[in-house]
């Protein structure tokens, strides 16, 4: 049934023309038996018919109220376009600065960083600002950055949904002080933007007190689902990336996933497969492996989304959630492939590949080297990459590991919008199948409290 | 016994003086019961007494012949200093170029990249060349790079132990052609260096034919163990990093690990713990989590070393090798911690932390904000980072997960040399305990052959 659906969709070499706004080519054939020897079969899917119908119904109901819905994140493609004029206006102002410091961590950073890395030009275009993501605490880096930058031409965008994330608040306060010391309060204020909850939190109160421009995060959208809100859209717009196309791609994917039927709705099919391979086939580890070098940070966004949404205790059942692991082709052929092929059979794979990618330079093969590398003659670097992908997928399939391939019709904002919406949707469906709340993160609070306690009391011997 | 050995070695805040050439502070207390509820106990270790003695004997015997030994990689700290004058001489020449393209993949890249990232200044010093690592195939990146660089002031260092790695050969040929087109053959040759096997392979033959300067990789040292050979030392020396200190650190660690006794030899203890937690406690996933931002690429080197050395089929036994996973504190508190705490109890953790790290800027807390963040008052960013590390380690320990902490006395070449030698040694010991050859990678060949076949025949429809 699904087995042949998209078979060989990605087998052609990547040098045909790029159709505009083409959909993702999702090839699930190797997730099923017999192609993937440890894959899912019809009986597994039959058992899941009712839970899948209920999951789809729940998702549909819980998105009906738009941005007020429980799953508001899935309605962003419909509702964020209305905010684009406001985002563009802020972005135009911020783009006048030479350096833009984007301060945020986790959900306030991983998505924008991954998309920026994938879509920015290799070298900045004239007029584009340099973006610096200030995420992790790294004192020497911050010191060097501030020694290197001119406050006059530097803007700060601080992002925290709650408005109180300790890493972000701490670093933002240091940046404010640096701006104020050099420029005075008033001019420092012209170089700050805050992205936070519209009604509550420290950042919101600060913005009101000091009249700092802000952009709101919809209250019902949590950090890891927020890349399609101002959290991701503002930094990306500042970088000159086409955020309208990003939302359009997400909307196109949402429309594609409206059907209740597994065969018509790829998000539902993927959720079912990832879930069944975990609970029925012992595939506890889910490896995300792009063969698209600029997607090397996409896995960071995906791993947060998946782990924090699904890695959860359940009453009377095994804990939910496969471990998401990021890899990168071809690099990890030289690093992880040995283990993938010979170690435990507890893994499944998701490949991302560029269907219509650049062929790149032809490998120039001197006469003397034709005997050594006959297969490189008249081949481009893009063809070498694609042959390595096909070969790796084949050896992984032959070893029995279930795997799926998402063929990207291009590496652009519309395509990545689809990919973002697809995985947010798959994650919510999977949460419903596991019976966990995909929106909370109850276990994380204990560590935050403990860190505060250590800072207050013990640490430093104060 | 081991439980109290180094307990609290890393609990102090990181602002004491840095002792010169101090050893790693290895705190294994939480790997044992009862601290880590799922940890190892005395009975587990007792069973392992003979295998450990045999492993240590094997390692000792198989390193006795120096660079001709089976485990030649572990003798590099003793033998590479003799090659430093040759490496420095080449590095001095290469440093005169403005841009240096380091072409290599996997073992020919991950180690140098990780150390470069950890040890380079945040912004280049005057006179330092810019290093560009050309690892993965990424046609638009290569095109942009070559459009941006001046051939006159660019040098190429291509690295492949075998001399025939397809990604490296393909990209190196493109770079050669670019140099030759702009500068002619003779001047292009003055801008190339090859690092490869001293006797065989395509690169070696090319070097002989065209009189291209080369540096040798010791024949018995495989890619993933080669960061302390010319493979890592030349690029790092070009970057101005103190490679003599790197080797000295490795030698100091080697001396520390000379004892046959678990209590005296941290490499032997770590190998025993990682191994026992896998086979006796079901800890199949080993997470490497630095709380040192510039070590964010260290996990890539470690993951290759561990996975390719140990992820192997065994006759009549479960496959060997835990899955190595890289994480980063504090970022992954906001991403993976939820899953670590509530999902399956199949994980163990290795934390890296800076014992004497920079305190960094004090968080400037305005009067109005003291009520909101009383615990930030008079705290530095470094203290915030360290409190978060302590809190996360505590919640992970309370959840029962075994974990160990390696406290780095500083972030310098001597310390990272220790860390490199430690993990190479742990990996070899672990291979001996599992009964697999830690030096080969038999499963990887099939994919390489298949890629060549696809390039020759099918792909591209030629």
């Amino acid at each position: 049934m699904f087995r042949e659906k998209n078979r060989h969709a990605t087998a052609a070499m990547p040098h045909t023309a790029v159709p505009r706004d083409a959909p993702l080519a999702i090839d699930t054939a190797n997730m099923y038996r017999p192609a993937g020897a440890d894959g899912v079969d019809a009986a597994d899917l039959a058992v899941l018919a009712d839970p899948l119908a209920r999951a789809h119904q729940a998702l549909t109901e819980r998105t009906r109220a738009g941005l007020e819905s429980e799953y508001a994140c899935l309605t962003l493609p419909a509702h964020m376009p209305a905010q684009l004029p406001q985002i563009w206006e802020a972005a135009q102002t911020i783009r006048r600065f030479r350096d833009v410091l984007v301060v945020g961590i986790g959900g306030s950073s991983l998505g924008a960083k991954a998309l920026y890395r994938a879509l920015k030009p290799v070298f900045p275009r004239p007029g584009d600002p340099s973006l610096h993501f200030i995420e992790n605490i790294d004192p020497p880096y911050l010191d060097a950055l501030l020694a290197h930058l001119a406050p006059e031409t530097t803007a700060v965008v601080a992002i925290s949904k709650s408005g109180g994330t300790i890493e972000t608040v701490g670093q933002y306060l240091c940046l404010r002080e640096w701006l104020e010391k050099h420029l005075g309060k008033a001019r420092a204020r012209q170089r700050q933007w805050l992205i936070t909850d519209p009604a509550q939190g420290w950042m919101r109160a600060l913005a009101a007190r000091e009249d700092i421009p802000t952009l709101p995060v919809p209250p019902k959208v949590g950090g890891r689902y927020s890349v399609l809100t101002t959290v991701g859209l503002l930094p990306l717009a500042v970088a000159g990336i086409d955020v309208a196309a990003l939302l359009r791609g997400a909307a196109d994917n949402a429309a594609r996933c409206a059907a209740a039927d597994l065969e018509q709705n790829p998000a539902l099919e993927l959720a079912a497969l990832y879930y069944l391979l975990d609970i029925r086939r012992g595939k506890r580890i889910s490896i995300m492996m792009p063969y698209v070098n600029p997607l090397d940070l996409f896995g960071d966004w995906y791993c947060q989304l998946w782990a924090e949404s699904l890695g959860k205790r359940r009453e009377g059942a095994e804990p939910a959630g496969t471990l998401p692991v990021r890899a990168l082709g071809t690099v990890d052929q030289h690093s992880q492939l040995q283990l993938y092929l010979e170690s435990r059979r507890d893994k499944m794979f998701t490949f991302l590949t560029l269907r219509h990618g650049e062929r790149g330079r032809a490998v120039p093969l001197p006469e003397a080297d034709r005997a050594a590398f006959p297969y490189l003659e008249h081949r481009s670097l893009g063809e070498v990459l694609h042959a390595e992908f096909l070969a790796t997928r084949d050896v992984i399939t032959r070893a029995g590991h279930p795997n799926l391939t998402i063929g990207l019709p291009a590496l652009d904002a519309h395509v990545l919008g689809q990919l973002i919406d697809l995985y947010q949707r798959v994650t919510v469906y999977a949460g419903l199948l596991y019976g966990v709340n995909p929106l909370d993160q109850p276990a994380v609070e204990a560590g935050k409290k403990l860190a505060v306690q250590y800072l207050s009391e013990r640490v430093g011997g104060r």
Side-chain angles (χ1 to χ4, degrees), chain A residues 289-310:
Chain A
M289 190 167 184
Y291 270 80
V292 185
N293 198 51
L295 289 180
D296 55 354
L297 300 186
F298 174 76
D300 291 340
W301 173 81
Y302 156 78
C303 285
Q304 183 199 19
L305 180 70
W306 194 260
E308 211 168 42
S309 299
L310 304 176

Side-chain angles (χ1 to χ4, degrees), chain A residues 22 66 97 113 148 173 188 196 203 214 253 296 307 349 351 361 371-372 411 429:
Chain A
F97 293 93
K113 268 173 86 170
H148 186 83
L173 286 171
T196 190
M203 273 191 183
T214 69
N253 187 74
D296 55 354
F349 295 82
F351 297 110
R361 289 163 193 261
L411 189 62
Y429 280 134

Side-chain angles (χ1 to χ4, degrees), chain A residues 60-82:
Chain A
T60 307
E61 281 167 12
R62 294 174 198 173
T63 49
R64 205 160 272 154
L67 291 178
E68 299 306 312
S69 309
E70 184 175 352
Y71 302 148
C73 56
L74 302 180
T75 75
L76 294 167
H79 295 287
M80 286 308 294

Side-chain angles (χ1 to χ4, degrees), chain A residues 2 78 84 90 116 142 146 189 225 252 260 285 401 430 454:
Chain A
F2 308 100
L84 283 180
Y116 176 66
L142 192 68
L146 296 191
R189 204 175 301 149
Y225 292 95
D252 288 350
I285 295 163
H401 300 298
Y454 288 163

Side-chain angles (χ1 to χ4, degrees), chain A residues 41-48 280:
Chain A
D41 59 29
D44 299 315
L45 273 177
V47 173
L48 213 60
R280 298 239 157 198

Side-chain angles (χ1 to χ4, degrees), chain A residues 91-115:
Chain A
Q92 285 311 316
T93 309
I94 299 169
R95 277 176 65 78
R96 289 202 286 265
F97 293 93
R98 195 172 62 196
D99 294 281
V100 180
L101 311 182
V102 181
V103 194
I105 194 163
S108 296
S109 173
L110 298 173
K113 268 173 86 170
L115 294 176

